[in-house]
Amino acid sequence: MIVSIHQPHFLPWLGYFNKVWNSDVFVWLHNVQYRKNYFQSRTKIKNPHTGEAFWLTVPVHATLGTPIDEVVEANSRWRASTCKTLEQFYRKAHYYNEFGPELIDLITTSDANLDQLNYRLFMTILKKLEYTGTVIRVEELLPLSAEPNERLIEICQKLNADTYIAGRGGKNYLNTEQWKEVGIKIIWQDFSSEKVIYSQLGTNFIPGLSIIDCLFNEGVVNTRSKLIGAWQF
């Protein structure tokens, strides 16, 4: 069984969904510490008028040590401004009308809890992509180790995983010998945003944007085709 584990992100990039697509089980790890000014509460899209990346951010209340699933929005004003920005930037995109109104409705009506907002957006995108085969688990397998490497191993063991998909950042903290000792193989994700080219509004291509940029410009079928990743064994 192939397992991948990731903290919730706000409208994640293609590489996030690449992990989901290639896993038997994807674990939504939302009971660890919130990381300030990271992708849990923001994402990048493209401003076609300037040709530059633009940050969409959810303002939140979070003190040091706050678990992700307890973080709430600081105010609701971001909702209207975010929806206006999406409309201004993507209304000329070929597939905007197929997904934009639904996305805007979700942003407008979702709970003030950041985790619930992210999960609704995540599952809506997955369903739009017509994913099959991957089981989505919201992680409630407590207690878990506070040490990142051991925590991931514990989750994989509880799910009877024999293979774990790890991002490139995992090389900074995963103890590969410990994984070998417990009999779980690590596959290193090598999904390069610079190599995944697709049509964008404007003249220049910007890699690493939210998956919604690809959905709006390329549609469901072509976006789904981008989720076949490269792996290092």
Side-chain angles (χ1 to χ4, degrees):
M1 177 188 291
I2 301 175
V3 169
S4 60
I5 304 168
H6 215 296
Q7 296 176 13
H9 282 186
F10 175 60
L11 295 172
W13 72 303
L14 283 163
Y16 191 102
F17 288 90
N18 168 262
K19 272 191 177 183
V20 179
W21 212 257
N22 291 281
S23 304
D24 296 310
V25 178
F26 175 83
V27 177
W28 182 265
L29 186 63
H30 67 165
N31 48 18
V32 294
Q33 182 176 324
Y34 171 75
R35 185 174 174 181
K36 185 178 179 182
N37 297 327
Y38 195 58
F39 291 99
Q40 293 159 0
S41 59
R42 64 178 187 167
T43 192
K44 286 193 295 185
I45 60 173
K46 182 178 180 179
N47 182 338
H49 309 300
T50 64
E52 298 176 346
F54 181 90
W55 285 102
L56 286 180
T57 302
V58 181
V60 299
H61 281 305
T63 57
L64 183 64
T66 302
I68 294 171
D69 58 353
E70 295 181 11
V71 175
V72 296
E73 64 183 15
N75 62 71
S76 61
R77 294 188 298 273
W78 71 274
R79 297 172 185 259
S81 62
T82 294
C83 293
K84 182 178 180 180
T85 297
L86 290 174
E87 170 68 20
Q88 289 177 336
F89 287 5
Y90 289 107
R91 62 190 173 195
K92 293 184 179 180
H94 190 69
Y95 295 94
Y96 175 76
N97 289 333
E98 289 188 18
F99 186 57
E102 184 176 2
L103 181 68
I104 286 174
D105 181 65
L106 280 172
I107 291 173
T108 303
T109 62
S110 289
D111 192 276
N113 179 279
L114 177 66
D115 181 54
Q116 292 182 28
L117 166 69
N118 285 339
Y119 188 73
R120 284 189 68 190
L121 292 170
F122 168 72
M123 290 303 300
T124 297
I125 292 171
L126 274 185
K127 290 174 182 176
K128 182 67 67 173
L129 291 169
E130 300 175 357
Y131 82 103
T132 59
T134 305
V135 175
I136 309 300
R137 288 285 300 266
V138 178
E139 183 50 48
E140 301 292 357
L141 301 174
L142 297 177
L144 292 170
S145 171
E147 198 281 316
N149 183 75
E150 293 180 2
R151 180 169 58 231
L152 297 177
I153 289 177
E154 288 175 16
I155 294 172
C156 286
Q157 287 179 319
K158 290 179 180 181
L159 295 173
N160 297 315
D162 54 37
T163 305
Y164 171 66
I165 299 176
R168 285 176 289 184
K171 294 182 179 181
N172 297 323
Y173 66 88
L174 291 185
N175 183 335
T176 56
E177 290 302 315
Q178 192 173 357
W179 286 80
K180 289 180 182 178
E181 290 173 4
V182 299
I184 300 176
K185 178 181 180 179
I186 295 178
I187 298 178
W188 297 103
Q189 184 189 32
D190 188 30
F191 188 87
S192 174
S193 58
E194 287 79 9
K195 295 179 182 179
V196 183
I197 309 298
Y198 59 90
S199 299
Q200 291 182 348
L201 294 174
T203 54
N204 60 312
F205 178 79
I206 301 177
L209 302 180
S210 167
I211 193 173
I212 65 172
D213 187 79
C214 191
L215 273 171
F216 289 157
N217 286 296
E218 291 274 3
V220 170
V221 175
N222 287 342
T223 299
R224 196 164 56 225
S225 71
K226 308 297 181 184
L227 300 180
I228 301 173
W231 308 100
Q232 294 178 347
F233 295 88

